[in-house]
Amino acid sequence: MTNILKILPFYFLLLLLSFPYTALSQSSCVEGEVKIGSRSFQSIERAISRSKARDVIELGSGVFDESLNISRKSDLTIQSACFAQVKRLNIRNSNNFHLKGVSIKGGEGANFALRILNTSVKIEEGHIFNSSSSGVWVSGNSKALFSKLSVYNNSTGFVLDAGAEIEIKDSSIYGNKRDGIFLKDVFSVIIEDTDIYNNKASGISSYQNSQAIRSFLGINRSQIYSNGSYGINLQASFSFRISNSVINDNPLIGFQINKKAVSALNNKDSIESVLIENNGTGVLFASPQALDLIRNEFIGNEGSAFLYSNLAGISPDVFLRGNTFTGNKGRAERGVSSRDLQSYSRYLDNEDTGNETSLNSEGLGVGNHRPVASAGEDVLFSSVNDKVSLSSKGSYDLDGESLSYSWSVVKKPSGSTAGVENSDKPLAFFSPDVLGDYEIELKVSDGKQSSKDKLQVSSKNISPKAIAGLDQLVSLNDRVMLDGSLSSDTKGSNLSYSWSFVKKPVGSTAQIRPKRGRKPSFTVDKAGDYEIELEVSDGSLSSKDRVLVSTINLAPQVEITSSLSPALSQALSLSSVITDEDLNNRGSEDRKVSYKWSVLSSPAGEAVYRFSNTKTKDTSFTALSPGDYVLQLTADDGELYGLDTVLLTYGNQAPAAKTGRNIPNAILNKKVDLNGEASSDPEGKDLSYEWSFNLKPRGSMAVIGDAKKQRAFFIPDKVGVYRVSLKVSDGFL
């Protein structure tokens, strides 16, 4: 209490000192007040008409229901410290006009909220909004600096017209019904420290015309993101320099450059130190003007990171140095090659990781699809020296180029010296020599690009297998049923499920319910592609799988079938089942599926095999040398690819495992016999057997007896479903 009494006088002193300050602040913000110095005016328009050079018109607080017209005024300032707002402002043929702290609300039927014609101005610290046309319209021989503004909810944020020189700094341009900034014949535009986002069309767009050849666009330390189609759509022949900025989450193209002529301002455009991420295509370049791309990051774009389009037969000098290309998909672009750039392009020190359409050997992010490695499913083993088969069958290359393979052990228990046999073959073997966890990596390469995949070999536990179901072609407003019930766990553990959207159309508010259900659903509320990920967990390990739901198109599903055993020098008939829902269900006749057979791996080159036809869905294949052959069939519906691969072994073929029929009438606590006698080997080799559970009821402690013999058994101890698998081996396959 004593301490409180000691500080009370000091507190009261502070309180008394604050009263004069508060009263003074409030007196300067009188609602509707208009002053020049000590003179008061009934309206802003009246003050403007009476103003002289270097006058400052001070506005109090509130909304002034005035549309202001300023003509032939010099060195005039209108400012407010009180958040004043006017209806419209039209400035013409004036010099050194300054507007500070005043917001401008447009309205219906007007061409602008703020109009600047043949005027030098500085506009700062305000909002420009709700115009049914342009928020800001600049034209004529104008010079304008815009600073610390919010420009939103207009038809177009800025329209920058003929002859103007513009600077936009420290501002936000967002939520406009068309473009954030629309460029016409503007001479120069500099944008710094500004966010341009959530505009319905493009963040920045230009009009293609002949006058813009003298124009320049500079963007620095800015972010252009989440606009409805393009981040920047540069159709006019602007010269540009973009640096230290971010262009991301624009669903069509991050930055499109589509010039028809070379700008007269300089002979080289540049994009430097820019993050270009998660757009439809990163950069689409169609221009005769030289381009530098220096130290940029291209990450996770749905199309190509950088796509060169030689539509006009042009050959610019394109220089890429120190760029990073990571995880770009490139699915929409085919037939685009860096050869179109011929000798005009140079590439130095670029990095390329995990792209589907990716850098070729010279370093350009177009022209070669990165092969995809698939090391197969994880393996649970029970004793040391078990021979584990490693198959690269799921690996593929969209270009159908020959692949090389490299298997290696990247993690193993202490004391293990185990390695991979046939480590350079598509089919390899691994024998664990110590109980524990092993991690094996497969690397595939087409000679230009490579990719890697890993699998686990463990005596303890392996990840469950997530299966998200088949891709689905649907219609708008359909309720889509998702199904993860085929997911499984080798040890029969109960699985938990978690569903999430990886991608959905712009504007979609679709929700998966229940997100943790085995068979959830969602409603298609926007046309486009929905990519959904399922994660399943056994409580300690998890795995993921994805499914595509589309209202537009699905890739053809391809399955290669053969009813005969391969034999050297004999034609092997290969059939395929092709399912394309767009053609089959929607009756499209203007699109045809084209086919391409290719050999991804063979013992010694093309001379040791032949196809009867490589462009039909069914063909025959003849091998002349013993060894492993990996064949691929690609089906292209004109928009998307589907493919399948098959591994054929000549000289030794894999045995066939047969478990017999399902047993629907098993009795609790009674022995169930398992019989693998129907298993066989084409060459008559002796087989080894290994029985294991894929699935057991919750709480079951059942084990398989004689699990290494042709005949085995188990005793069910819980009511439910038991899924049993048999693996047979001839010592090689």
Side-chain angles (χ1 to χ4, degrees):
M1 186 67 175
T2 304
N3 291 334
I4 294 175
L5 291 173
K6 285 181 179 179
I7 66 169
L8 278 176
F10 179 69
Y11 171 77
F12 285 130
L13 177 61
L14 286 177
L15 189 60
L16 289 170
L17 287 173
S18 70
F19 281 139
Y21 177 80
T22 305
L24 180 63
S25 299
Q26 291 175 344
S27 68
S28 65
C29 283
V30 176
E31 185 170 356
E33 183 177 67
V34 181
K35 300 183 74 173
I36 299 178
S38 60
R39 292 179 294 161
S40 296
F41 297 88
Q42 293 180 340
S43 67
I44 307 173
E45 194 75 47
R46 184 70 169 170
I48 293 171
S49 67
R50 297 295 182 91
S51 66
K52 302 190 297 285
R54 292 184 292 279
D55 274 346
V56 177
I57 300 175
E58 294 277 359
L59 304 184
S61 62
V63 176
F64 293 82
D65 190 22
E66 294 186 62
S67 294
L68 305 178
N69 289 283
I70 299 174
S71 179
R72 301 186 186 281
K73 290 284 185 179
S74 297
D75 302 307
L76 177 63
T77 297
I78 301 177
Q79 66 183 29
S80 174
C82 312
F83 311 106
Q85 177 182 302
V86 300
K87 284 176 64 175
R88 284 199 307 155
L89 177 58
N90 185 7
I91 314 167
R92 294 172 295 166
N93 304 313
S94 298
N95 292 316
N96 300 325
F97 176 79
H98 186 195
L99 183 74
K100 182 176 182 181
V102 179
S103 294
I104 306 172
K105 181 180 180 181
E108 296 296 325
N111 290 332
F112 56 85
L114 171 61
R115 170 81 158 105
I116 300 169
L117 173 65
N118 296 326
T119 295
S120 58
V121 300
K122 181 177 181 181
I123 312 292
E124 58 181 335
E125 297 180 10
H127 300 261
I128 301 172
F129 62 107
N130 283 13
S131 170
S132 61
S133 186
S134 308
V136 180
W137 180 14
V138 184
S139 64
N141 187 23
S142 296
K143 293 185 178 182
L145 169 62
F146 300 96
S147 177
K148 299 179 181 178
L149 294 180
S150 293
V151 182
Y152 59 93
N153 201 35
N154 305 285
S155 178
T156 299
F158 283 81
V159 174
L160 306 180
D161 214 334
E165 294 183 37
I166 309 297
E167 289 186 66
I168 302 173
K169 297 184 176 182
D170 300 304
S171 295
S172 295
I173 305 166
Y174 63 96
N176 295 288
K177 297 177 179 64
R178 297 179 67 184
D179 300 318
I181 300 175
F182 183 68
L183 310 174
K184 294 182 75 175
D185 287 334
V186 60
F187 180 73
S188 173
V189 180
I190 305 296
I191 301 170
E192 292 187 341
D193 302 301
T194 292
D195 289 342
I196 305 172
Y197 61 99
N198 284 350
N199 299 288
K200 215 159 204 180
S202 301
I204 301 173
S205 185
S206 71
Y207 176 72
Q208 179 68 59
N209 58 74
S210 59
Q211 299 302 317
I213 199 168
R214 296 176 58 251
S215 299
F216 177 77
L217 172 65
I219 301 176
N220 190 29
R221 299 186 305 274
S222 295
Q223 185 168 0
I224 303 167
Y225 64 99
S226 298
N227 298 286
S229 55
Y230 299 86
I232 305 174
N233 182 15
L234 208 57
Q235 294 291 324
S237 294
F238 278 78
S239 177
F240 64 85
R241 292 175 188 164
I242 317 296
S243 61
N244 303 298
S245 296
V246 177
I247 303 173
N248 66 304
D249 294 317
N250 301 287
L252 192 57
I253 297 173
F255 189 3
Q256 173 169 273
I257 307 111
N258 187 19
K259 298 187 183 186
K260 299 297 186 291
V262 177
S263 170
L265 287 183
N266 70 322
N267 61 7
K268 181 167 287 191
D269 296 321
S270 69
I271 305 173
E272 183 171 352
S273 301
V274 176
L275 172 61
I276 301 169
E277 183 176 24
N278 293 338
N279 302 285
T281 291
V283 174
L284 173 58
F285 181 63
S287 170
Q289 185 138 344
L291 175 67
D292 280 350
L293 287 110
I294 310 293
R295 293 186 298 277
N296 302 290
E297 293 183 76
F298 295 82
I299 301 175
N301 296 287
E302 285 296 311
S304 293
F306 175 76
L307 176 62
Y308 170 70
S309 178
N310 190 15
L311 299 178
I314 52 181
S315 297
D317 181 7
V318 179
F319 179 55
L320 293 90
R321 181 164 193 162
N323 300 283
T324 301
F325 299 83
T326 306
N328 302 285
K329 295 183 178 179
R331 290 175 176 171
E333 290 81 32
R334 301 184 312 281
V336 179
S337 172
S338 65
R339 289 191 299 273
D340 293 334
L341 295 173
Q342 300 175 2
S343 61
Y344 294 90
S345 304
R346 295 161 291 146
Y347 322 101
L348 294 171
D349 306 324
N350 298 290
E351 293 185 13
D352 166 36
T353 307
N355 304 290
E356 293 185 25
T357 296
S358 189
L359 302 182
N360 65 13
S361 58
E362 294 180 304
L364 183 61
V366 296
N368 181 65
H369 290 87
R370 175 183 291 278
V372 176
S374 176
E377 297 181 13
D378 297 342
V379 178
L380 188 68
F381 72 93
S382 56
S383 60
V384 296
N385 299 319
D386 282 355
K387 183 164 278 193
V388 175
S389 295
L390 305 174
S391 175
S392 66
K393 178 185 177 301
S395 305
Y396 64 89
D397 182 78
L398 278 177
D399 303 310
E401 296 180 313
S402 179
L403 298 180
S404 62
Y405 304 84
S406 176
W407 297 88
S408 59
V409 182
V410 294
K411 177 185 174 183
K412 53 189 173 184
S414 176
S416 172
T417 59
V420 178
E421 302 175 45
N422 295 338
S423 61
D424 60 345
K425 305 293 189 218
L427 187 66
F429 305 96
F430 173 71
S431 296
D433 56 354
V434 175
L435 294 178
D437 296 328
Y438 298 80
E439 189 171 78
I440 297 176
E441 182 178 84
L442 169 65
K443 178 181 178 181
V444 299
S445 173
D446 64 1
K448 308 178 187 72
Q449 318 276 333
S450 64
S451 68
K452 298 177 181 179
D453 189 35
K454 295 177 182 179
L455 80 155
Q456 306 294 321
V457 177
S458 175
S459 62
K460 301 173 183 177
N461 190 21
I462 59 174
S463 300
K465 184 178 181 181
I467 300 178
L470 298 176
D471 294 346
Q472 301 183 51
L473 187 68
V474 298
S475 299
L476 192 63
N477 300 318
D478 278 359
R479 186 184 177 203
V480 177
M481 304 301 298
L482 303 172
D483 189 351
S485 61
L486 292 179
S487 303
S488 61
D489 183 74
T490 303
K491 287 192 169 183
S493 301
N494 289 321
L495 299 178
S496 62
Y497 302 80
S498 177
W499 299 84
S500 60
F501 284 112
V502 176
K503 172 188 173 185
K504 57 184 177 180
V506 174
S508 172
T509 59
Q511 299 291 323
I512 299 172
R513 294 193 173 94
K515 294 182 91 170
R516 300 195 175 278
R518 189 168 55 179
K519 295 183 178 182
S521 65
F522 73 94
T523 299
V524 176
D525 61 346
K526 295 287 183 182
D529 292 336
Y530 297 77
E531 191 171 4
I532 299 124
E533 185 171 81
L534 167 64
E535 181 175 10
V536 299
S537 172
D538 63 5
S540 58
L541 298 176
S542 64
S543 70
K544 298 177 180 179
D545 188 33
R546 292 184 180 183
V547 62
L548 178 66
V549 176
S550 178
T551 66
I552 304 171
N553 188 18
L554 294 180
Q557 300 296 306
V558 181
E559 182 180 2
I560 300 173
T561 62
S562 175
S563 59
L564 300 174
S565 298
L568 283 174
S569 303
Q570 294 183 12
L572 175 67
S573 295
L574 297 172
S575 302
S576 63
V577 177
I578 311 294
T579 303
D580 192 311
E581 291 194 42
D582 312 298
L583 299 181
N584 298 342
N585 294 348
R586 299 191 174 186
S588 173
E589 296 180 357
D590 58 350
R591 279 196 296 113
K592 301 292 184 183
V593 177
S594 60
Y595 304 96
K596 178 184 176 183
W597 288 89
S598 51
V599 177
L600 302 184
S601 179
S602 64
E606 294 184 9
V608 299
Y609 65 82
R610 60 177 176 265
F611 285 101
S612 61
N613 195 323
T614 60
K615 297 185 181 301
T616 55
K617 70 187 260 320
D618 303 324
T619 189
S620 65
F621 177 77
T622 304
L624 305 177
S625 295
D628 295 326
Y629 295 78
V630 180
L631 311 187
Q632 175 178 285
L633 172 60
T634 304
D636 179 4
D637 70 3
E639 293 180 356
L640 298 175
Y641 294 99
L643 57 81
D644 190 24
T645 61
V646 62
L647 174 62
L648 303 176
T649 299
Y650 289 80
N652 179 47
Q653 299 173 49
K658 300 291 184 180
T659 59
R661 295 182 178 180
N662 293 336
I663 305 171
N665 56 353
I667 300 173
L668 194 65
N669 297 319
K670 295 284 187 178
K671 186 171 80 167
V672 174
D673 290 317
L674 305 172
N675 190 344
E677 289 180 344
S679 303
S680 61
D681 182 76
E683 291 86 29
K685 294 186 177 69
D686 291 335
L687 299 179
S688 63
Y689 299 81
E690 182 179 343
W691 296 87
S692 61
F693 283 116
N694 282 350
L695 178 67
K696 294 191 294 185
R698 180 183 293 184
S700 172
M701 302 296 290
V703 296
I704 296 178
D706 295 334
K708 299 287 187 181
K709 295 183 178 180
Q710 189 182 70
R711 289 175 172 267
F713 68 91
F714 75 95
I715 298 174
D717 58 346
K718 296 285 183 183
V719 173
V721 175
Y722 296 77
R723 185 178 296 141
V724 183
S725 70
L726 169 63
K727 181 171 73 175
V728 299
S729 173
D730 64 2
F732 299 94
L733 301 174

